[in-house]
Amino acid sequence: MKIVSSKPTITRKELEGVLDCMIHDELTTGSTVKNFESVLSDITGLKYPLAVNSLVSCYILILKALETGPDDEIILPSFFSSAPLSAIKLTGGKPVLVDSEDNSVFPSAAAIKEKITEKTKAVIAGDMFGFHYDSDELKELNVPVIIDISHSIGTEYNDKPAGSAGSFTVASFAPSMIITTGNGGAVLTNNSKYFSSMRDLRGGNSETVNFDFTMTDLQGAMGMTQAMKLKNFIKRRREIAMKYYESARITSHRPLYPFSDSSAYQTFPLIFDAPSERVEKYWKKNGIELERVIAHPNHELLGFKGFDYPNADRLSKKLYSLPLYPTLTKKEIEKISKSLGAFI
């Protein structure tokens, strides 16, 4: 049987939480979502949380709260989730892309600063695949900074919760993320003015014109159960990652970063020392699903040429991820590790 690239960790506890909501007819946005939001606030250390129906919705609410207009520029990495790009295009702003640094998935702070003009409305950055971006370097910018912690929620960086340095923090709860609510997301801030604006636009009441981006209590119940297991999820991911590092050590293949006990290991990204065709054929033959972590970077989605974003373009073609999730069995982990060590 094929080992799939990603799988949510759903147990009886999640089912019980969802069933309890159904028994009590709690299907819309109510107390369960509010309780989940409170837990998210505790995890991130941010005062004002809003649970919503998707990551794109998170970004739309932020851009609307910032009153983004057609001449406003939003800086974001090319090698990044397409969710903020979708939100920028839908709200009418102008995306300004930044290439990754050499040998990194992240853009440098200097490259971001070079893109800032009087038209810059916000900067988007984030942790990738569980590894932290040094967002402290963006604190001195005189524009709002949006930090995406979809891949790192529940971890710490410089002794502070991931994402706590941003003007806004967002997280996705899609099935492949650290915790899931089926779909959904959250946006958090310490700014009460922005929070009030986003809360009204999210919906959940009939008093304002809104987007109806609400999360249901069924999703909130699943999120509550997932959040309770967050530390164990991350611990398990790190244990599996360590096995893969041990296998990669005897090959010429290169994990993107050395092992870190601060990473959440949402995926296990590595660059194979082999042509893509051979890589994909080998892993398919072994019954292990391999994924290119970001097959279509944002510059490609905008129709821009790859030579203007050479590092992001290269990563989109060369950077793969091995299956890594808490429900992998011992036998599956051994098969993946042995396959990695034998691929020479």
Side-chain angles (χ1 to χ4, degrees):
M1 216 174 148
K2 182 174 76 171
I3 302 174
V4 298
S5 61
S6 66
K7 185 189 292 184
T9 304
I10 306 298
T11 66
R12 187 182 182 89
K13 286 289 186 182
E14 281 83 359
L15 299 177
E16 288 173 351
V18 171
L19 181 60
D20 187 62
C21 282
M22 297 179 73
I23 290 171
H24 292 91
D25 295 329
E26 296 173 352
L27 305 182
T28 57
T29 303
S31 60
T32 305
V33 168
K34 289 181 180 178
N35 290 338
F36 181 43
E37 289 173 337
S38 179
V39 169
L40 294 173
S41 182
D42 290 340
I43 291 170
T44 60
L46 298 168
K47 292 180 184 178
Y48 304 114
L50 280 176
V52 297
N53 61 351
S54 75
L55 183 60
V56 173
S57 298
C58 293
Y59 283 107
I60 289 175
L61 291 177
I62 293 171
L63 296 178
K64 284 294 186 182
L66 291 173
E67 300 180 348
T68 304
D71 293 326
D72 292 326
E73 298 175 346
I74 312 295
I75 299 172
L76 73 159
S78 179
F79 195 71
F80 202 67
S81 162
S82 63
L85 180 62
S86 296
I88 293 166
K89 299 298 285 184
L90 290 168
T91 53
K94 291 183 178 180
V96 176
L97 302 182
V98 187
D99 196 15
S100 305
E101 271 193 294
D102 291 340
N103 301 313
S104 175
V105 296
F106 304 115
S108 69
I112 290 173
K113 290 172 185 176
E114 285 179 5
K115 298 285 186 177
I116 292 177
T117 70
E118 68 278 358
K119 294 181 179 180
T120 303
K121 198 71 170 182
V123 170
I124 297 171
D127 302 333
M128 299 281 282
F129 320 124
F131 297 96
H132 295 108
Y133 177 69
D134 189 4
S135 53
D136 286 345
E137 293 189 36
L138 303 180
K139 279 185 175 180
E140 63 189 58
L141 302 181
N142 197 27
V143 294
V145 176
I146 305 165
I147 303 295
D148 194 321
I149 60 167
S150 300
H151 296 178
S152 62
I153 187 170
T155 63
E156 291 189 346
Y157 182 69
N158 290 342
D159 298 320
K160 293 177 290 187
S164 58
S167 312
F168 301 90
T169 298
V170 299
S172 168
F173 304 133
S176 61
M177 296 299 129
I178 305 295
I179 60 174
T180 185
T181 58
N183 198 4
V187 52
L188 304 99
T189 183
N190 281 328
N191 187 299
S192 59
K193 178 185 174 183
Y194 291 146
F195 170 74
S196 296
S197 175
M198 292 189 296
R199 181 185 57 196
D200 290 344
L201 289 169
R202 177 190 66 170
N205 62 67
S206 58
E207 299 170 7
T208 59
V209 175
N210 58 70
F211 287 108
D212 193 15
F213 285 162
T214 53
M215 175 181 282
T216 67
D217 268 4
L218 296 179
Q219 292 173 295
M222 183 183 290
M224 285 286 291
T225 306
Q226 291 267 298
M228 289 170 60
K229 296 187 272 187
L230 180 55
K231 288 184 178 179
N232 288 333
F233 285 169
I234 293 172
K235 180 175 181 288
R236 178 62 174 158
R237 286 176 177 274
R238 288 170 179 164
E239 290 170 351
I240 297 169
M242 180 58 81
K243 297 281 187 183
Y244 296 169
Y245 274 104
E246 290 170 358
S247 295
R249 209 171 279 135
I250 61 173
T251 74
S252 58
H253 312 307
R254 182 168 61 86
L256 199 60
Y257 297 102
F259 179 80
S260 170
D261 58 10
S262 68
S263 173
Y265 289 100
Q266 182 264 342
T267 60
F268 189 83
L270 75 167
I271 294 175
F272 290 104
D273 184 21
S276 295
E277 185 178 341
R278 181 171 167 240
V279 170
E280 292 169 13
K281 184 178 179 181
Y282 173 83
W283 290 94
K284 185 177 182 180
K285 181 181 177 181
N286 281 274
I288 299 168
E289 188 177 33
L290 202 67
E291 278 197 343
R292 283 192 285 161
V293 289
I294 295 180
H296 304 286
N298 287 321
H299 70 263
E300 181 181 315
L301 297 178
L302 288 172
F304 298 161
K305 301 296 183 182
F307 57 71
D308 288 327
Y309 305 90
N311 294 323
D313 202 63
R314 175 176 172 272
L315 288 170
S316 71
K317 294 175 173 65
K318 297 289 291 182
L319 189 62
Y320 290 87
S321 66
L322 295 178
L324 199 165
Y325 41 90
T327 53
L328 281 170
T329 65
K330 182 179 179 181
K331 187 176 180 181
E332 288 173 330
I333 295 167
E334 288 177 352
K335 181 178 180 180
I336 296 167
S337 299
K338 287 180 180 177
S339 297
L340 175 58
F343 185 33
I344 55 177

